[in-house]
Amino acid sequence: MKKFWVLVLLSCIAIFTVACSGKDTKTEGEAGEKKPNAEQTLKIANDQEPAGLDPHKTPAASSVRIYSQVYEGLLTFDKDMKIVGQLAEKWEQPDDLTYVFNLVKGVKFHNGREMTAEDVKYSFERILDEKTASHIKSYFANIDSVEAVDPTTVKFTLAKPDATFLANLTHSSAVVVAKEVVEEKGDLQQTAVGTGPFKFEKWVPDNSVTLTKNPDYYIKDTPKLDKVVYYTMKEESARLSAIRTGEIDFTTVSAKSAELLGKSKDLTIKPYQSLEYSYVGFNVNNKPLNDEKVRQALSLATDRQSIADIVWNGDAVISGPVAPSMSDWAIDVTKEEFYQKDQDKAKTLLAEAGYPDGFEIVITTASTYPDMVDTAQLLQQQWKEIGVKATIKQIEWGDYIDTWSNKKADILIGRNGSGTDPDRALNYFFHSTGSANVWNFADKNFDSIVEKGKQTIDTGERKQLYTQAQKELLNLSPNLFLVSPMNFVAVRNNVEGFTPYPHNAQNIIGVSIK
Amino acid sequence: MKEFFVKLSHDKVGIMGFTGIFLVVIIGLFSPWIAPYSPEKMFTSHVMEGPSSQFLFGTDEFGRDILSRIILGTQVSLKVGLISVGIGASMGLLFGLISGYFQGKVDSIIMRVMDVLFAFPDILLALAIVAVLGPSLSNTMIAIGIVFTPVFTRTVRAAVISVKESEYITSAVAIGVSPVKIIMKHITPNILAPFIVQISLALSGAILTEAALSFLGLGIQPPNPSWGGMLDASRTYMEFAPWTILFPAAAIVFTIFCFNLFGDSLRDILDPKMRKS
Amino acid sequence: MMYAYITRRLLMLIPVLFGVSIFIFVMMRVVPGDVAMTILGTDATPESLAQLRKEFGLNLPLHQQYLNWMGGVLSGDFGESMRSGQAVLPDILSRFTITFELTLLSALISWIIAIPMGIIAAIRHNTKTDFSVRMVSLLGVSVPNFAMATVLILVLALFFSYSPPVGYIGFFEDPLRNLQILILPSLVLGTGMAGAVMRMTRSSVLEILRQDFIRTIRAKGARERVIIFDHALRNAMIPILTIIGMQVGTLLGGAVIIEQIFSLPGLGQLVLTAITQRDFTVVQGSVLFIAFVFVMINLLVDVLYSYLDPRINYK
């Protein structure tokens, strides 16, 4: 029977030889990359599969980071969050309701056709068309008409003054698409033809999306890369292992992993402050959360710094309803009354509200995101100190979205993106008629401030209004705003020219491989 | 019965399994008294510390004592194992007896329903059921129980059919003994062997399924300590805090290993075909 | 005789698959949340939600939705993914090849480990060898495979600076690379399967060895090797085949977790993602497909079984 043992041994050896042969090919690959004319291919690993590629219909971040390389809009943000032109060379505003854009000349779609003002008109009409069910329709609800004055001039007429209009044009979904492609394919979910630096080549589901260089790009010598491949790797451990061994060049990682990878000499960690903040949402119609004193007490019982320390490894800043990375608009919340941890005051407020012994409540959170589950666990412990006995209910994503939109939970943990303009963070999320106000929050005073804010063009005046709005929100606490995390991108050292910034975390247009 | 224990005492594998299970059950029963700290207590100044005299197995990302969580987790895991297998086994016993005894139309209906359940991949079925019922400890157990029902039904049914054809049952039917009495008195005792073997194996399956559900985010609700949940949460910290994954993994592997050893030994002992020697 | 049996079994599949289709359809409607919500997320407005639901036919009465779907399925059209617009059936088929290969490889690994070990344990029944073989193989089944997989990935990366190549490539495009991608997940799944196969091999060989005809052969002075390979193993193959068939069936249903950890674009990943996104057409289509494959495998095993064991009579 010894033969069988030999057989077992041999098969083990065979398996390991196969496994190790991979290592050998790898070292050859690395040697190749060190040559001066390195292959200009960037391999990116993402944690989620794109949900579809239609920029007008797909808000998922996993899709945005890919179609943003293919499509362009009229305007964009630069790294200091200032509005600059993209497809629009310059623009003017003859009156409060009219915007005229002069387009960059000689821009071609990837199918070779020249992009004109008609395409801009078509794209916005598509966004506004009810049948498209576009997620950004509400951003442009004030548009009265779009007119192609001549091939390179397009005129927008608004129904009423809208201070957010230019900022909304920078939205990664407010991009110009080609009519003939939409008509041929029905929609743009499976294909992508834009004017951007990269052309869509192929999408192998749950595996990879490949983009290639657009040789006719209107900015000279851009992009430098010949090819970008996005791999879907859901497991962080798999992404870490792949970037360590050089199988991939570029990936997003969690704060804890960033700390680990930072020690490696082959890698660089690029941090940036995200536009997101985490929150605790209260359904303000339900007892006992209908009493603002209860909400304020919970705010006082919350230790935001320990959430930043434990959930985000210390790499997060305390945030209000407008994330601190929107530095022009965000107020400094650290001095705010209800941001000072004070259990005695919290207990007094609870007693005043009629709950001297606290109460029982359920915190709902999404199991998909460990940070939300961890936040819930910390809050449970912190609130216990003032007698609030919370139970955690973690649910999977589909259920969570349903709970969110149908206001099914008393307390919901989540994360919001501040968007491109404070109007989004304040009006859209907290106006009594705002689509994303799922908290039953209604305050006349707040409503009138943010309505005014949307129509006030003067920046200084606007800023004053939004400061007032933010203070009002902190005081009424329909949500507890917690912290805004840093995000981290790990890149191999052979990747040059990459700097992430909040509005464009995967800004690879200037990247090259050394 | 006596013969059974004699045989068990001769099988080293069985003894090891049995001793291990006994140990785990004791820990589970007395966990609140054995655990040095509350499993939910966060020692915020001792976050992610390695094993020390204060925290024998180290602490997790919240500064909770891992040893205490593992000890309390024993209770959770055993509960999940026992109750879910209990659900699956009793439903399987019921349907299997009815199906095997009466055969005919009832049998086809029951077995087709079981075929439908059986045709679903285990983990997806459990996932779908938990998603429908909403995640909680009891729903997790119900889901795992339903997943196991077809296997038990088939085991019982096959055994019933083989017993039913034996002469003494045929003669009992002939003299007009009621079906309930025949099932209770004659059939049930005779099918216990394959049934018990199946139970011992399903126990380890149930604990593993709970761990898998935890991985998919639909396990036991935090901050309740479940081994699967601890294993899942610590995967991210594996590299710089290996103790956060090492000890829960050891606990789960040990327990399942013991159940498997015991089950394997039971199978040897109770298998009628093996009795000849 | 055999044909009649197979035909009868095939006919029996119809109610089962019908049941599966109803079951999964109802499940997906009962689970909270729908695809329109998961697509739009916080950008949803009541109008856009209504428009999307209309587009996907989710505003129709339930029986109408079911009939529309079933009508399509019966004519070979599984519809399109509600989320990505991808045609469902081609996607299922291309992913199935990956899951199929993964299954075969893991089964192969488990046989290589388990069958020899099972035979050895049976021959040396109640010896130290038997004991250690049983211990090792049972230990293999006892490790949750997601834990084993993550540890394996980390250890290989840290200590051998090896990680499997990224981006799945089909076997016929690049066999070597394909095997490199699949070997680790297959190892993890294979060791998990090995325990059960070993156990079955051991007990059936044991059973056969004790039977009278083996005693007779032995008494006639046949060599031990002949006894084992010519007689015992051949007869023991029947129950072993059954367990292998069952496991292959289960694995084909998608090694959900392992596929996710190793980023393999297989069937399991497809269903899992589709469930969380409430992509009804994809969930329904792939679950139906998986159930079909599973029952076919079971049928195949039963047929093989009767072919190998002429004593069994199918009426």
Side-chain angles (χ1 to χ4, degrees):
Chain A
M1 277 306 99
K2 292 234 165 63
K3 271 190 185 167
F4 277 111
W5 288 109
V6 176
L7 189 68
V8 171
L9 197 70
L10 277 180
S11 47
C12 290
I13 292 169
I15 286 159
F16 274 99
T17 338
V18 175
C20 295
S21 64
K23 202 165 102 187
D24 302 338
T25 47
K26 183 65 233 114
T27 10
E28 285 161 26
E30 264 172 0
E33 277 157 19
K34 275 170 198 138
K35 286 177 198 161
N37 292 323
E39 194 191 344
Q40 293 297 314
T41 298
L42 183 68
K43 290 188 260 178
I44 301 181
N46 280 328
D47 57 344
Q48 285 298 327
E49 172 77 353
L53 295 174
D54 194 328
H56 293 164
K57 295 175 83 161
T58 320
S62 55
S63 299
V64 173
R65 58 191 163 213
I66 293 171
Y67 66 61
S68 293
Q69 312 297 344
V70 178
Y71 293 102
E72 291 174 314
L74 291 174
L75 305 175
T76 189
F77 274 124
D78 68 0
K79 60 180 187 304
D80 305 316
M81 297 282 290
K82 294 276 176 289
I83 294 172
V84 292
Q86 194 167 39
L87 286 176
E89 201 170 40
K90 55 185 202 291
W91 61 95
E92 55 186 14
Q93 193 181 1
D95 59 67
D96 273 2
L97 296 176
T98 316
Y99 292 81
V100 178
F101 296 88
N102 295 328
L103 304 180
V104 176
K105 290 183 185 72
V107 176
K108 278 183 181 161
F109 279 114
H110 298 152
N111 62 8
R113 184 173 68 77
E114 188 140 282
M115 191 269 308
T116 67
E118 282 297 336
D119 294 302
V120 179
K121 177 175 152 70
Y122 169 75
S123 298
F124 280 90
E125 282 169 354
R126 182 167 186 257
I127 290 169
L128 292 171
D129 186 351
E130 204 176 82
K131 287 204 186 80
T132 312
S134 175
H135 59 284
I136 52 165
K137 182 170 179 261
S138 62
Y139 286 77
F140 298 106
N142 280 335
I143 293 183
D144 188 50
S145 69
V146 187
E147 191 188 330
V149 180
D150 63 52
T152 57
T153 313
V154 64
K155 187 169 106 185
F156 287 76
T157 313
L158 305 187
K160 58 182 176 192
D162 186 347
T164 68
F165 181 66
L166 288 178
N168 287 343
L169 284 178
T170 67
H171 194 288
S172 41
S173 288
V175 294
V176 179
V177 301
K179 186 179 181 179
E180 66 272 20
V181 182
V182 180
E183 281 170 353
E184 189 197 329
K185 308 264 180 180
D187 67 16
L188 301 170
Q189 293 288 37
Q190 291 289 315
T191 187
V193 178
T195 57
F198 293 97
K199 296 205 280 192
F200 170 75
E201 189 180 300
K202 63 172 178 189
W203 175 10
V204 187
D206 259 340
N207 188 0
S208 64
V209 176
T210 309
L211 306 180
T212 51
K213 179 180 184 164
N214 172 9
D216 301 328
Y217 195 54
Y218 56 88
I219 300 174
K220 267 231 147 47
D221 296 326
T222 310
K224 294 186 178 101
L225 293 167
D226 291 325
K227 201 171 178 186
V228 187
V229 190
Y230 295 87
Y231 294 100
T232 303
M233 300 175 81
K234 290 184 184 157
E235 276 292 297
E236 173 140 327
S237 57
R239 295 198 302 277
L240 291 187
S241 133
I243 195 156
R244 273 187 165 128
T245 56
E247 286 289 338
I248 54 165
D249 308 312
F250 184 112
T251 187
T252 47
V253 293
S254 71
K256 286 240 163 60
S257 307
E259 195 185 321
L260 267 181
L261 288 180
K263 292 173 196 150
S264 163
K265 56 181 186 343
D266 304 325
L267 302 168
T268 314
I269 299 291
K270 310 260 185 177
Y272 65 96
Q273 188 64 47
S274 73
L275 281 169
E276 285 189 322
Y277 62 82
S278 57
Y279 65 83
V280 184
F282 298 129
N283 189 332
V284 300
N285 271 4
N286 295 8
K287 267 192 160 190
L289 302 167
N290 56 349
D291 190 330
E292 64 188 58
K293 283 186 177 152
V294 171
R295 307 194 299 260
Q296 290 163 348
L298 291 177
S299 184
L300 288 166
T302 303
D303 182 352
R304 291 173 171 78
Q305 191 54 48
S306 86
I307 293 176
D309 289 344
I310 289 177
V311 180
W312 302 100
N313 201 28
D315 297 313
V317 288
I318 294 173
S319 173
V322 176
S325 47
M326 294 186 76
S327 46
D328 284 355
W329 307 102
I331 58 168
D332 177 18
V333 287
T334 50
K335 303 264 164 24
E336 290 297 317
E337 184 189 357
F338 298 116
Y339 273 58
Q340 315 305 322
K341 193 182 178 189
D342 187 340
Q343 290 174 357
D344 294 330
K345 199 161 145 197
K347 280 183 196 156
T348 321
L349 280 172
L350 272 190
E352 282 172 26
Y355 303 95
D357 305 319
F359 50 87
E360 288 185 10
I361 197 112
V362 176
I363 303 178
T364 306
T365 183
S367 62
T368 326
Y369 294 100
D371 65 281
M372 295 190 196
V373 180
D374 286 359
T375 304
Q377 296 196 56
L378 273 174
L379 290 175
Q380 184 189 40
Q381 290 295 316
Q382 293 173 359
W383 292 352
K384 205 156 99 184
E385 315 254 321
I386 59 162
V388 174
K389 288 169 277 303
T391 327
I392 296 171
K393 185 178 167 202
Q394 62 167 356
I395 51 185
E396 51 84 50
W397 191 244
D399 196 358
Y400 177 86
I401 289 280
D402 183 58
T403 305
W404 180 86
S405 64
N406 290 325
K407 311 177 185 177
K408 282 194 201 161
D410 286 332
I411 297 185
L412 194 67
I413 307 276
R415 251 185 289 130
N416 271 341
S418 283
T420 47
D421 187 280
D423 175 65
R424 178 79 176 169
L426 299 167
N427 190 0
Y428 187 74
F429 283 112
F430 294 103
H431 189 281
S432 55
T433 60
S435 312
N437 177 0
V438 293
W439 320 111
N440 291 317
F441 175 69
D443 184 71
K444 282 210 182 86
N445 186 25
F446 179 83
D447 284 1
S448 71
I449 302 173
V450 290
E451 278 163 22
K452 210 165 149 200
K454 191 170 165 98
Q455 296 186 23
T456 307
I457 309 290
D458 180 75
T459 317
E461 207 179 314
R462 248 192 121 198
K463 188 170 177 180
Q464 233 171 14
L465 284 168
Y466 284 134
T467 304
Q468 208 186 333
Q470 288 177 66
K471 297 224 169 202
E472 182 85 1
L473 270 189
L474 294 187
N475 187 35
L476 293 172
S477 299
N479 280 13
L480 300 187
F481 308 96
L482 304 173
V483 297
S484 171
M486 301 275 280
N487 288 352
F488 298 88
V489 180
V491 290
R492 299 280 298 178
N493 284 346
N494 58 348
V495 176
E496 274 190 332
F498 170 70
T499 319
Y501 52 91
H503 191 63
N504 189 355
Q506 292 200 351
N507 173 36
I508 53 169
I509 191 165
V511 167
S512 63
I513 307 281
K514 166 168 76 166
Chain B
M1 210 55 191
K2 198 178 159 202
E3 185 201 15
F4 169 78
F5 282 108
V6 171
K7 276 193 174 168
L8 184 64
S9 66
H10 284 304
D11 188 12
K12 255 189 281 176
V13 171
I15 298 172
M16 285 179 60
F18 184 79
T19 321
I21 294 172
F22 184 74
L23 191 75
V24 172
V25 170
I26 293 291
I27 293 178
L29 281 179
F30 298 100
S31 49
W33 296 280
I34 303 175
Y37 306 102
S38 152
E40 292 170 26
K41 170 103 179 114
M42 296 177 181
F43 296 90
T44 36
S45 53
H46 295 279
V47 171
M48 291 271 206
E49 281 183 6
S52 64
S53 58
Q54 192 187 357
F55 305 104
L56 279 181
F57 285 3
T59 58
D60 68 5
E61 73 268 35
F62 296 106
R64 297 180 297 204
D65 179 37
I66 290 179
L67 176 63
S68 306
R69 291 182 68 72
I70 288 180
I71 291 175
L72 266 298
T74 312
Q75 213 175 37
V76 177
S77 289
L78 284 181
K79 210 158 135 192
V80 170
L82 289 175
I83 298 183
S84 51
V85 172
I87 295 172
S90 34
M91 296 217 291
L93 188 61
L94 181 70
F95 290 129
L97 281 175
I98 297 176
S99 197
Y101 186 82
F102 295 104
Q103 293 181 309
K105 247 191 195 143
V106 190
D107 178 38
S108 339
I109 293 174
I110 291 180
M111 289 322 286
R112 288 302 81 73
V113 173
M114 291 304 148
D115 284 348
V116 168
L117 289 179
F118 206 58
F120 276 85
D122 288 5
I123 191 72
L124 290 181
L125 182 59
L127 186 79
I129 297 172
V130 174
V132 169
L133 297 177
S136 73
L137 181 60
S138 47
N139 289 343
T140 303
M141 297 188 293
I142 293 174
I144 301 177
I146 295 177
V147 169
F148 283 151
T149 305
V151 184
F152 279 107
T153 311
R154 287 185 166 197
T155 314
V156 173
R157 176 179 174 271
V160 171
I161 290 176
S162 70
V163 173
K164 219 184 123 191
E165 268 147 31
S166 62
E167 266 172 48
Y168 73 102
I169 303 266
T170 337
S171 51
V173 174
I175 58 172
V177 182
S178 81
V180 177
K181 208 167 179 188
I182 293 179
I183 289 179
M184 284 313 198
K185 271 209 138 157
H186 302 286
I187 292 185
T188 318
N190 273 300
I191 58 165
L192 274 182
F195 190 63
I196 289 174
V197 171
Q198 190 64 51
I199 286 183
S200 71
L201 297 175
L203 278 171
S204 56
I207 298 174
L208 278 180
T209 309
E210 191 276 319
L213 280 178
S214 290
F215 175 87
L216 298 172
L218 283 173
I220 308 303
Q221 296 291 331
N224 288 324
S226 95
W227 294 341
M230 293 171 76
L231 218 52
D232 176 48
S234 58
R235 283 183 312 130
T236 358
Y237 311 119
M238 184 161 63
E239 199 175 332
F240 45 84
W243 57 89
T244 56
I245 192 166
L246 196 66
F247 296 111
I252 206 165
V253 171
F254 176 76
T255 308
I256 293 175
F257 186 46
C258 291
F259 274 117
N260 279 334
L261 289 178
F262 190 60
D264 195 44
S265 169
L266 274 187
R267 178 182 289 217
D268 268 12
I269 296 166
L270 293 173
D271 193 341
K273 293 171 200 149
M274 295 282 150
R275 281 187 189 156
K276 282 183 202 159
S277 65
Chain C
M1 188 63 178
M2 186 65 112
Y3 290 113
Y5 169 69
I6 296 179
T7 320
R8 201 163 49 85
R9 282 288 303 266
L10 280 175
L11 283 177
M12 255 160 65
L13 294 187
I14 295 171
V16 172
L17 290 176
F18 180 67
V20 168
S21 76
I22 295 213
F23 188 78
I24 190 65
F25 180 86
V26 172
M27 282 294 236
M28 287 320 287
R29 311 294 139 154
V30 180
V31 175
D34 72 15
V35 65
M37 288 180 195
T38 61
I39 288 178
L40 292 167
T42 55
D43 290 301
T45 58
E47 303 83 49
S48 55
L49 284 175
Q51 177 61 34
L52 273 185
R53 285 182 185 136
K54 200 171 130 200
E55 194 179 311
F56 299 139
L58 295 175
N59 53 344
L60 300 172
L62 281 186
H63 66 272
Q64 194 61 47
Q65 289 183 39
Y66 178 78
L67 289 178
N68 287 351
W69 173 56
M70 252 306 145
V73 167
L74 290 177
S75 59
D77 175 16
F78 279 54
E80 282 171 2
S81 158
M82 292 171 170
R83 204 169 152 84
S84 70
Q86 178 109 18
V88 174
L89 191 58
D91 196 19
I92 290 178
L93 292 176
S94 81
R95 284 157 184 275
F96 179 65
T97 55
I98 298 164
T99 307
F100 185 70
E101 199 192 338
L102 177 65
T103 306
L104 276 191
L105 264 180
S106 0
L108 208 67
I109 290 176
S110 81
W111 302 339
I112 293 175
I113 303 174
I115 296 184
M117 280 173 97
I119 298 175
I120 292 167
I123 295 170
R124 311 256 166 102
H125 189 209
N126 282 338
T127 63
K128 267 199 188 124
T129 321
D130 179 24
F131 176 75
S132 30
V133 166
R134 281 168 78 191
M135 296 287 274
V136 170
S137 67
L138 289 175
L139 193 62
V141 214
S142 308
V143 185
N145 55 23
F146 71 85
M148 196 197 279
T150 9
V151 171
L152 197 62
I153 287 182
L154 179 69
V155 167
L156 285 177
L158 277 188
F159 299 108
F160 302 96
S161 42
Y162 172 75
S163 78
V166 295
Y168 181 81
I169 285 189
F171 183 78
F172 297 105
E173 280 171 71
D174 187 345
L176 190 68
R177 199 175 154 89
N178 173 274
L179 285 178
Q180 281 180 38
I181 292 172
L182 284 175
I183 198 74
L184 289 181
S186 309
L187 255 181
V188 173
L189 288 172
T191 44
M193 274 171 76
V197 179
M198 189 291 296
R199 189 147 53 185
M200 192 44 94
T201 314
R202 174 175 171 274
S203 69
S204 40
V205 172
L206 264 183
E207 189 195 333
I208 304 280
L209 282 179
R210 282 185 194 139
Q211 279 178 358
D212 296 338
F213 78 98
I214 295 276
R215 288 189 192 160
T216 325
I217 297 170
R218 196 174 271 150
K220 282 183 180 165
R223 281 191 309 169
E224 196 66 10
R225 191 167 295 169
V226 176
I227 295 177
I228 305 236
F229 286 98
D230 279 10
H231 301 283
L233 192 56
R234 191 199 288 165
N235 284 290
M237 269 331 271
I238 297 162
I240 299 175
L241 249 177
T242 321
I243 191 115
I244 288 173
M246 272 179 64
Q247 287 187 318
V248 167
T250 315
L251 269 187
L252 279 181
V256 180
I257 292 177
I258 291 300
E259 283 180 3
Q260 171 160 340
I261 294 181
F262 289 97
S263 322
L264 294 175
L267 258 188
Q269 275 236 59
L270 178 70
V271 192
L272 189 63
T273 321
I275 288 180
T276 46
Q277 306 294 358
R278 304 288 188 265
D279 196 336
F280 294 162
T281 38
V282 175
V283 178
Q284 290 165 191
S286 33
V287 165
L288 195 59
F289 181 83
I290 290 170
F292 174 73
V293 170
F294 185 81
V295 290
M296 287 310 281
I297 297 264
N298 272 334
L299 176 59
L300 196 72
V301 170
D302 288 353
V303 170
L304 262 179
Y305 202 111
S306 65
Y307 177 75
L308 285 174
D309 188 354
R311 281 175 300 174
I312 297 171
N313 191 7
Y314 293 96
K315 271 185 205 152

